[in-house]
Amino acid sequence: MHPLVITAALTGAEVGKAQQPALPITPEDIGIAAAECVAAGAAIVHLHARRPDGTPTQDAAVYREIIAAVRARCDAIVQVSTGGAVGMGAAERLAPVALRPEMATLSMGSVNFGDEVFLNLPADIAAFARAIAEQGAKAELEIFDAGMMATARRWLAKGLLASPAHFDFVLGVPGGMPATPEALMYLVSQLPEGATWTVAGMGATQLTLGTMAVALGGHVRVGFEDNIFFRKGELATSNAQLVRRIAEIGRLAERAPATPTVARAMLGLPQRQP
Ligand code: KMH
Ligand code: ZN
């Protein structure tokens, strides 16, 4: 089977240093974590930005520093978040797309997010999709719930999203689709022809659903954004530790991790000039 594309979601917007002391916050720490993850088998880094005090920001100036810190250390495919943090406005969330990243996330609908709402109005999704395409980036369609998959299929059929699409099934957010094998199988059954997909299981399901994706021919996202533990009661020591484990599972299943160069070819991204 084809190589395994591992995405490292290094920091996210919700977890704090108090919960996970190894969480990278500064641009330099995010750059170092990215390089460690690539050495461990990751091809893509999913980036969020933080202020020095750890609070989330979508400030393009901070993202610029992060991207420079990543690119100075490794060849990872740079994927910026347009999700940001719950409560941020659309214009604020879109800011890092202006930096011409290789990929950007695109959430395909609204979902309850714990006690809050992760709001994604159709007009905003459409504007994000246009901006991502205009900047020459590939969208990763974030699917938190079954209705978002239906929306993605409809929009792809209408040509409002570029094909072939790349999906990320984000399962186990309280308010979204549960992180069960059945939920994953349903979403996989709905994939349009030619699409690629990855799965981001929350908490302990990062490992179980990731292992399923290895068997099913999908790809896997791991990292502190979605899970801070290595096993029950034991915090992971780094993002790279989580990457190393899923890379090994991939190797054992004859799906060695894709390098960034191989992953670019698989996802139809232009190769970067050295
Ligand atoms: N922080 C979440 C509310 C994304 O990166 O595109 C949204 C999120 C999705 O993390
Ligand atoms: Zn994210």
Side-chain angles (χ1 to χ4, degrees):
M1 247 202 282
H2 46 269
L4 180 68
V5 178
I6 300 173
T7 299
L10 301 171
T11 191
E14 287 82 26
V15 175
K17 279 258 193 206
Q19 298 151 284
Q20 173 42 278
L23 188 76
I25 296 286
T26 66
E28 189 186 8
D29 284 351
I30 293 173
I32 291 167
E36 289 173 356
C37 286
V38 169
I44 303 175
V45 287
H46 170 69
L47 298 177
H48 284 253
R50 306 287 190 123
R51 297 188 190 88
D53 67 1
T55 54
T57 177
Q58 287 292 98
D59 187 341
V62 184
Y63 270 94
R64 188 178 289 112
E65 280 185 51
I66 293 170
I67 292 169
V70 170
R71 291 203 167 136
R73 290 173 176 83
C74 66
D75 182 36
I77 296 170
V78 166
Q79 179 191 88
V80 299
S81 169
T82 67
V86 165
M88 288 178 170
E92 180 183 13
R93 284 169 48 184
L94 196 53
V97 172
L99 301 173
R100 298 188 69 81
E102 294 174 271
M103 298 182 78
T105 55
L106 179 62
S107 292
M108 288 309 302
S110 300
V111 63
N112 286 350
F113 204 93
D115 295 332
E116 300 175 293
V117 178
F118 180 39
L119 187 65
N120 291 288
L121 298 173
D124 291 337
I125 303 171
F128 281 28
R130 280 195 300 273
I132 291 168
E134 278 164 20
Q135 294 299 328
K138 183 169 177 118
E140 178 180 271
L141 308 182
E142 307 296 305
I143 305 296
F144 292 78
D145 213 341
M148 297 191 196
M149 190 67 189
T151 301
R153 286 171 59 101
R154 220 170 37 245
W155 288 31
L156 283 161
K158 286 185 186 166
L160 298 173
L161 298 170
S163 293
H166 179 64
F167 289 86
D168 179 24
F169 301 137
V170 187
L171 301 182
V173 169
M177 227 170 162
T180 59
E182 292 80 7
L184 179 60
M185 292 309 294
Y186 171 74
L187 293 172
V188 169
S189 79
Q190 297 300 301
L191 285 165
E193 187 67 32
T196 49
W197 63 279
T198 192
V199 67
M202 299 300 110
T205 66
Q206 183 167 96
L207 177 60
T208 51
L209 292 189
T211 304
M212 264 186 85
V214 170
L216 291 169
H219 304 285
V220 186
R221 173 170 122 172
V222 296
F224 290 164
E225 175 163 347
D226 308 323
N227 167 46
I228 57 175
F229 290 98
F230 190 68
R231 58 172 67 90
K232 194 173 169 61
E234 182 183 324
L235 284 173
T237 54
S238 65
N239 279 288
Q241 187 191 28
L242 298 169
V243 171
R244 210 170 292 119
R245 176 168 60 185
I246 200 70
E248 186 56 23
I249 290 170
R251 273 187 215 98
L252 290 169
E254 299 295 338
R255 294 197 59 202
T259 62
T261 300
V262 168
R264 283 187 181 95
M266 291 171 70
L267 295 170
L269 300 173
Q271 293 296 338
R272 287 189 68 230
Q273 301 309 317

